[in-house]
């Protein structure tokens, strides 16, 4: 990135920070978002932490500690807490672990972390009995925190449950889930946020941690075959993978074909990013080369009809796409992926042109329920945009490998 572009990025970060440091805005946000890591108080705390790590300004440390104390107050005063990585105490536990290990806070919070571990281990069985293997909202997201805390017995319970619930054939291994929002049916979900790519990510984290490695490898290899068996004709369907398929419509090879978006949550980029990383970890050079070539082919998708990108959000917008291309460029040195990153960096900056007060230039597509509006969340709003832009700075590129786990990207 040239000096002029760096100045433009820094200027936009400063604009975002002016908004996110504003007490009235943050207080209002905190009321609506709870302790959520990806949509509430824990998310803004992490955002302040990233700024402090990169710029070293004490104002961010002050706001980090203040916001963190608000999360403690929320938890200690609540009669009912969610468990999940996205919105609950698992995500909060991840934040405390991150802040402690990066020396942003002392060891004062270890007792809280221990309490979180105990509650999650106790409640895990209920999620497994419901076959809730969602990364954002279910057992696997909780499992990521428990891996960090070396709670291997609990992780083994998750792995045995995954093995028991897997749909196994001679050709592949995969998992189903019920989609109560869109299809109202049992589906094979291909995506990273809620589907089989997320399960693949979790299995690989367990494999790397040395937990039931043989079982993990067997499940990983079967799930990789599922993705290889379902590669679509990109010329015909514009994407290699669908977002999801009803189990009643599923064939190998898929005779139907579906076009999916280009995004972190669903579509080719989040899926192929995961597949490439898994193949690299397993030292499967043939698979890694194949998935990298497929990633190269995604860079031509740029307009709305090909990507379905309507805003700068990390989840489904330009900043998530830009971040993944940046990470892939750092991993591979590919000039094609570098140019894709720069394209989506420009797109993210261009999205920030709103004049609405308190927006830092950004409005977000909140779907049929919310329309186009201001949003401060990490996953779907301003914090995630800011995190991507921070990662585009020199020091930010060095820091990104420390926090990207919250979005299943390392």
């Amino acid at each position: 990135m040239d000096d002029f572009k760096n100045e433009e990025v820094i200027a936009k970060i400063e604009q975002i920070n002016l908004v996110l440091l504003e007490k009235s805005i943050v207080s209002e946000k905190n009321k609506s978002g709870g302790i959520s890591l990806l949509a509430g108080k824990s998310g803004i705390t992490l955002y302040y932490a990233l700024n402090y790590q990169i710029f070293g300004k004490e104002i961010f440390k002050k706001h980090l500690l203040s916001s963190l104390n608000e999360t403690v107050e929320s938890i200690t005063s609540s009669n009912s807490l969610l468990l999940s990585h996205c919105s609950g105490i698992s995500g909060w536990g991840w934040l405390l672990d991150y802040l402690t290990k990066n020396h942003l806070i002392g060891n004062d919070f270890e007792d809280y972390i221990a309490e979180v571990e105990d509650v999650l281990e106790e409640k895990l069985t209920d999620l497994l009995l419901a076959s809730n293997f969602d990364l954002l909202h279910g057992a696997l997201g909780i499992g990521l925190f428990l891996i960090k805390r070396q709670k291997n017995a609990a992780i083994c319970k998750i792995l045995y449950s995954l093995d028991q619930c897997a749909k196994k054939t001679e050709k592949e291994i995969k998992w189903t889930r019920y989609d109560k929002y869109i299809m109202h049916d049992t589906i094979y979900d291909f995506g990273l946020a809620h589907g089989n790519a997320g399960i693949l990510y979790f299995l690989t984290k367990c494999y790397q941690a040395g937990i039931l490695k043989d079982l993990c490898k067997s499940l990983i290899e079967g799930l990789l075959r599922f993705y290889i068996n379902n590669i679509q004709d990109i010329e015909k369907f514009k994407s290699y993978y669908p977002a999801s398929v009803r189990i009643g419509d599923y064939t190998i090879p898929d005779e139907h074909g579906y076009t999916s978006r280009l995004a972190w949550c669903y579509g080719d980029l989040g899926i192929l990013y995961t597949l490439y990383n898994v193949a690299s970890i397993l030292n499967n050079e043939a698979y890694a080369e194949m998935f990298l070539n497929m990633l190269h082919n995604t860079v031509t998708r740029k307009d709305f009809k090909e990507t379905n990108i309507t805003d700068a959000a990390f989840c489904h917008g330009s900043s998530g796409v830009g971040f993944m291309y940046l990470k892939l460029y750092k991993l591979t040195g590919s000039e094609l992926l570098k140019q894709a990153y720069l394209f989506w960096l420009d797109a993210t900056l261009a999205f920030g042109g709103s004049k609405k007060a308190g927006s830092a230039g950004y409005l977000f597509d909140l779907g049929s329920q919310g329309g186009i509006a201001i949003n401060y969340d990490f996953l779907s709003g301003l914090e995630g945009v800011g995190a991507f832009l921070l990662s585009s700075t020199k020091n930010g590129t060095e820091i990104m490998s420390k926090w990207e786990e919250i979005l299943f990207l390392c």
Side-chain angles (χ1 to χ4, degrees), residues 98 323 327 396-405 410:
Y98 177 89
F323 185 92
K327 179 65 186 294
T397 302
E398 297 169 0
I399 294 294
M400 71 179 182
S401 62
K402 296 182 179 182
W403 65 266
E404 61 193 359
E405 184 184 51
C410 70

Side-chain angles (χ1 to χ4, degrees), residues 60 156 277 296 319 338 365:
F60 295 114
C156 288
N277 277 342
H296 283 157
S319 61
K338 177 183 178 181
D365 186 350

Side-chain angles (χ1 to χ4, degrees), residues 3-154:
D3 291 341
F4 175 78
K5 183 63 65 180
N6 186 64
E7 290 177 5
E8 189 177 357
V9 168
I10 294 294
K12 180 54 74 173
I13 291 171
E14 290 175 349
Q15 188 180 357
I16 291 172
N17 288 346
L18 282 174
V19 170
L20 293 180
L21 288 170
E22 176 65 42
K23 289 183 180 179
S24 61
I25 289 176
V26 173
S27 296
E28 185 62 32
K29 172 193 185 304
N30 287 351
K31 289 177 185 177
S32 63
I35 64 164
S36 174
L37 179 59
L38 297 180
K41 294 178 185 177
S42 295
I44 191 68
T45 305
L46 176 60
Y47 183 75
Y48 293 148
L50 298 180
N51 272 277
Y52 181 69
Q53 287 176 286
I54 293 167
F55 300 121
K57 294 181 179 179
E58 286 300 317
I59 189 172
F60 295 114
K61 182 70 172 291
K62 176 184 175 182
H63 278 73
L64 149 63
L65 296 175
S66 175
S67 184
L68 182 61
N69 287 331
E70 287 186 21
T71 68
V72 174
E73 292 172 7
S74 294
I75 286 175
T76 55
S77 64
S78 176
N79 295 321
S80 177
L81 291 168
L82 297 173
L83 303 176
S84 70
H85 174 77
C86 176
S87 303
I89 59 172
S90 178
W92 185 66
W94 184 96
L95 174 69
L96 295 183
D97 185 83
Y98 177 89
L99 296 176
T100 302
K101 288 180 178 176
N102 286 279
H103 310 293
L104 296 168
I105 58 174
N107 295 321
D108 309 359
F109 291 86
E110 279 297 328
D111 288 344
Y112 287 116
I113 298 175
E115 288 185 48
V116 169
E117 292 170 3
D118 291 343
V119 172
L120 293 178
E121 287 186 279
E122 178 185 346
K123 299 293 185 181
L124 183 61
T125 299
D126 293 337
L127 293 170
L128 296 178
L129 287 174
S131 300
N132 183 350
F133 299 124
D134 197 291
L135 270 178
L136 285 178
H137 305 296
L140 300 196
I142 290 171
L144 291 178
F145 171 71
L146 295 176
I147 291 172
K148 292 175 74 67
R149 304 301 296 177
Q150 299 181 331
K151 298 296 180 180
N152 290 6

Side-chain angles (χ1 to χ4, degrees), residues 245 291 310:
V245 177
F291 295 135
T310 60

Side-chain angles (χ1 to χ4, degrees), residues 295-296 298-300 302 321-322 325-326 334-346:
L295 281 163
H296 283 157
T298 66
V299 305
T300 61
K302 293 180 177 180
V321 171
Y325 278 130
L326 171 59
S334 165
E335 185 64 24
L336 274 175
L337 298 176
K338 177 183 178 181
Q339 293 305 314
Y341 149 63
L342 292 173
F343 174 87
W344 289 107
L345 174 61
D346 283 340

